[in-house]
Amino acid sequence: MATAPLPEREAPAVMEKLVSLAKRRGFFFQSSEIYGGLQGFWDFGPLGVTLRNNIKRAWWRTMVELRDDVVGIDAAIIMNPKTWVASGHVQNFTDPLVECKKCHQRFRADQVSGTRHADDGGEFTEARQFHLMFRTFVGPVEDSSAQVYLRPETAQGIFVNFANILSSTRMRPPFGIAQIGKAFRNEITPGNSIFRLREFEQMEMEYFVPPAEEMKWLDHWKNERLQWYLGLGIKPEKLRLRQHGKDELAHYAKGAFDVEYEFPFGWSELEGVAARGDYDLVAHQQASGRDLSYFDDVRRERYVPHVVEPSAGVDRTLLTTMIDAYHEEEVRGEQRVVLRLKPTIAPIQVAILPLSRKEPLIATAQRIEHELRPYFRTEYDDTQSIGKRYRRQDEIGTPYAVTIDFETANDQAATVRSRDEMTQVRVPLTGLREALQERLR
């Protein structure tokens, strides 16, 4: 099928179209939208939650299940507040804030240029530090003794469990502890839909290594993580590794890299990989009084392990896969929108479509959908014309559609349509599962 790409769009238009598609098709919506929403919070619909789960499963499979040197945990969101004092978050987890004196909008100081607001000319205030952790209370009394925090990252839950993992497993450095979980940051300026959120989900792993091996493992993990995104089907030319300059590094970090993606609004971080030294374990060791060192019984030496941390966001990865897969083209004089998602993460892998709503087509299509459901993520759809149903499946990224037509009863075969090539082939019902498995590998 000959297609012609549409002219290149303005970058903001791409984001607007994608957010519109996401709402229309059930990927994500503004949270509590019927009440006007709440900035920085989003809800995920049926297709969005499936895509999120597929991304998390792909990460967990790669980072934990396929390795013998990584284990997983699931730490609590609310922790003893001493955790955040020891980690430095209570004192230092801030961003510089400026406010327009005319409209009273607030911005991160490093995200504005000049001394005046470009929209209305209002003068900005002097920058002040704004704390990013959400506070709440545990128990019936709301005073300072009951104040706790919603975790701003998942890493500290790993560090405070380091001794527990050592004593309950047979792990020895180098080894990793992985976690997927929610985190909360009171961002001054969330934006670009789900790119920067106040409630988000992280996929993090702390890899504990002998001190002398830290930079070797930083080099290893920066390459591993770049390859993972390529494995999701993201275009290589849209990805890059960027090394942090000395002025960007945290005071305790020896080195760091970002896996960056070229978003419609420019190159930005997709994942960070940092060599954190022994800062976190030493801080918690000193604050808690617990021994968080490791004794190497082979080398007969004791040390506090150093850490290499790959840290990614589920929501940002979801947005990236959708942006990267979004494509517009002209087919036979009509516009086609298609998400070319990799089949392994596509929310729906196979759509089963009866050509019409007449019997026995519906009964046959429903039977086939139930037979295929244990092997694929399937969807049955008999509403609207077959052309409109194809277009809907293209928009949500379904790689293959199986059409049951009036010839099926005679030849016991169905038509398999490819999302990307738009080709159609006739496949016997008895070999349908195998044919789809071959295509979806």
Side-chain angles (χ1 to χ4, degrees):
M1 176 70 65
T3 62
L6 295 178
E8 192 166 334
R9 288 91 56 205
E10 295 276 337
V14 176
M15 287 298 295
E16 289 172 9
K17 289 181 179 182
L18 187 70
V19 172
S20 175
L21 183 152
K23 180 180 179 180
R24 185 173 69 254
R25 296 306 187 191
F27 282 94
F28 52 83
F29 326 99
Q30 184 77 48
S31 180
S32 53
E33 185 182 282
I34 62 171
Y35 293 107
L38 186 62
Q39 191 178 20
F41 298 89
W42 291 73
D43 298 334
F44 294 87
L47 293 177
V49 75
T50 302
L51 181 53
R52 280 169 59 86
N53 286 339
N54 295 342
I55 289 168
K56 288 189 285 186
R57 272 194 292 267
W59 187 89
W60 195 262
R61 181 71 173 156
T62 300
M63 297 293 281
V64 181
E65 295 177 350
L66 294 179
R67 301 186 66 96
D68 57 12
D69 59 348
V70 179
V71 294
I73 68 165
D74 187 359
I77 288 174
I78 295 177
M79 305 172 68
N80 188 307
K82 293 178 182 178
T83 301
W84 306 108
V85 176
S87 68
H89 283 79
V90 169
Q91 181 177 355
N92 301 316
F93 199 56
T94 59
D95 272 343
L97 167 72
V98 295
E99 181 176 335
C100 174
K101 294 180 180 179
K102 188 172 183 179
C103 68
H104 301 292
Q105 279 188 272
R106 294 172 177 176
F107 307 90
R108 267 177 47 176
D110 59 351
Q111 293 181 344
V112 299
S113 58
T115 60
R116 293 186 176 275
H117 189 190
D119 289 353
D120 59 20
E123 185 182 2
F124 286 126
T125 61
E126 290 292 319
R128 63 183 176 87
Q129 292 301 310
F130 174 80
H131 206 276
L132 298 174
M133 281 201 294
F134 284 103
R135 299 169 177 83
T136 188
F137 300 90
V138 168
V141 180
E142 295 189 2
D143 61 22
S144 59
S145 65
Q147 180 176 281
V148 293
Y149 303 93
L150 299 184
R151 66 183 181 194
E153 63 175 37
T154 59
Q156 299 307 318
I158 295 175
F159 293 125
V160 300
N161 277 295
F162 175 72
N164 290 330
I165 298 300
L166 276 185
S167 63
S168 62
T169 70
R170 290 172 291 181
M171 306 303 291
R172 53 190 302 132
F175 79 97
I177 304 174
Q179 178 172 208
I180 299 176
K182 287 292 186 77
F184 306 82
R185 295 180 185 178
N186 195 12
E187 294 280 0
I188 298 169
T189 51
N192 286 321
S193 74
I194 61 172
F195 178 81
R196 190 179 302 280
L197 300 171
R198 289 178 167 137
E199 176 186 343
F200 55 97
E201 194 161 11
Q202 288 184 297
M203 303 180 290
E204 283 194 322
M205 192 265 288
E206 307 303 325
Y207 200 71
F208 300 92
V209 303
E213 298 180 12
E214 183 177 4
M215 300 313 289
K216 178 188 80 172
W217 285 106
L218 173 64
D219 187 62
H220 169 85
W221 281 111
K222 71 177 174 60
N223 294 322
E224 284 286 307
R225 298 308 303 145
L226 177 62
Q227 289 302 313
W228 186 76
Y229 290 102
L230 293 170
L232 288 185
I234 295 175
K235 300 181 185 71
E237 65 271 19
K238 292 285 188 177
L239 289 168
R240 72 182 184 188
L241 279 171
R242 185 184 69 82
Q243 186 171 9
H244 284 211
K246 289 185 178 180
D247 58 334
E248 296 179 88
L249 293 174
H251 65 89
Y252 52 79
K254 289 187 176 180
F257 289 83
D258 283 345
V259 179
E260 291 190 331
Y261 179 80
E262 189 178 17
F263 292 93
F265 44 84
W267 286 94
S268 195
E269 179 189 350
L270 185 51
E271 174 167 349
V273 184
R276 297 175 68 117
D278 61 3
Y279 172 81
D280 299 279
L281 288 181
V282 167
H284 289 300
Q285 182 172 259
Q286 293 173 345
S288 68
R290 284 287 302 272
D291 181 7
L292 299 181
S293 64
Y294 171 76
F295 180 69
D296 187 330
D297 56 4
V298 175
R299 298 182 180 180
R300 311 302 296 175
E301 63 177 342
R302 182 175 294 277
Y303 59 85
V304 175
H306 285 212
V307 173
V308 175
E309 177 194 76
S311 177
V314 177
D315 318 276
R316 195 171 290 190
T317 303
L318 181 146
L319 180 65
T320 302
T321 59
M322 291 185 67
I323 290 173
D324 199 70
Y326 185 87
H327 188 71
E328 295 179 7
E329 61 190 19
E330 191 174 287
V331 181
R332 294 177 179 172
E334 294 183 0
Q335 180 175 314
R336 181 174 89 123
V337 175
V338 57
L339 284 186
R340 292 200 170 110
L341 294 169
K342 189 172 181 179
T344 53
I345 63 169
I348 306 297
Q349 294 174 306
V350 182
I352 292 83
L353 316 173
L355 190 60
S356 82
R357 303 183 79 173
K358 294 181 179 180
E359 292 290 351
L361 269 62
I362 287 180
T364 302
Q366 289 176 339
R367 174 178 61 82
I368 291 172
E369 192 275 330
H370 281 279
E371 290 174 354
L372 295 177
R373 189 182 296 180
Y375 306 98
F376 313 102
R377 292 184 294 275
T378 60
E379 180 177 84
Y380 171 86
D381 187 6
D382 62 11
T383 59
Q384 298 185 307
S385 70
I386 191 67
K388 289 183 178 179
R389 281 181 279 165
Y390 283 153
R391 290 293 179 262
R392 176 182 178 275
Q393 296 300 330
D394 290 342
E395 275 197 332
I396 67 174
T398 305
Y400 293 97
V402 175
T403 303
I404 308 302
D405 56 32
F406 294 105
E407 292 299 315
T408 299
N410 298 324
D411 64 5
Q412 290 298 297
T415 298
V416 175
R417 175 189 180 267
S418 167
R419 174 196 69 197
D420 296 335
E421 292 81 16
M422 287 186 291
T423 54
Q424 298 186 15
V425 296
R426 201 73 175 163
V427 175
L429 297 183
T430 55
L432 187 56
R433 174 166 66 89
E434 292 77 8
L436 290 167
Q437 287 174 327
E438 177 68 24
R439 287 167 169 78
L440 288 167
R441 284 195 304 182

